[in-house]
Amino acid sequence: MEILSSRILVRPRDWESSRAFYADTLGLAVAREFPGGVVFFLGTGYLELSKAGAVAIGDDALWLQVRSLPSAVAELRDKGVTITREPVREPWGLDECWIADPDGRAIVLVEIPPGHPIRTDTR
């Protein structure tokens, strides 16, 4: 499975305090903001803070962008991985599928369709 990008997803108890901590205390630069969250640059990776209820994936998760979601899902099924949430186009326009690691931590596999703002935003 080819991974193009990744981020750690965190759903903090107090979103405003966490945002201030990561932005002001640690000085992380904002990569992008969206309704329900913010993504910070984290060295060569990303940290996404999502407001409670913005996503229903548990306390934390690993977000992995793949080139082809159908190919990644087929490869994982061949390896015996259980799909915990089948692939679907989300209301925010991303194609997502969920699996879990051995500890039950959510892993969100994401394909960004052509024309989606994440592909076209040149910031």
Side-chain angles (χ1 to χ4, degrees):
M1 182 170 62
E2 182 181 11
I3 305 299
L4 303 176
S5 178
S6 66
R7 68 177 69 149
I8 298 167
L9 302 178
V10 176
R11 293 179 59 201
R13 288 183 192 93
D14 182 338
W15 193 85
E16 293 297 334
S17 293
S18 291
R19 188 190 195 294
F21 174 78
Y22 287 106
D24 302 332
T25 305
L26 294 185
L28 299 182
V30 172
R32 72 182 187 90
E33 295 188 63
F34 59 94
V38 61
V39 178
F40 293 101
F41 289 106
L42 191 61
T44 59
Y46 296 96
L47 170 68
E48 178 178 319
L49 296 183
S50 293
K51 293 180 182 177
V55 291
I57 54 175
D59 294 328
D60 58 9
L62 183 59
W63 187 95
L64 302 176
Q65 180 188 348
V66 297
R67 187 172 307 279
S68 168
L69 190 56
S71 295
V73 169
E75 179 180 336
L76 292 169
R77 283 189 203 278
D78 287 347
K79 292 180 178 180
V81 174
T82 300
I83 305 301
T84 59
R85 187 162 179 270
E86 292 294 327
V88 65
R89 170 87 32 106
E90 297 291 356
W92 44 89
L94 299 177
D95 296 335
E96 296 186 2
C97 173
W98 298 354
I99 61 173
D101 75 5
D103 291 322
R105 183 172 296 103
I107 299 174
V108 185
L109 304 175
V110 180
E111 181 179 341
I112 302 171
H116 190 279
I118 290 177
R119 282 192 187 239
T120 58
D121 185 349
T122 58
R123 283 181 282 168

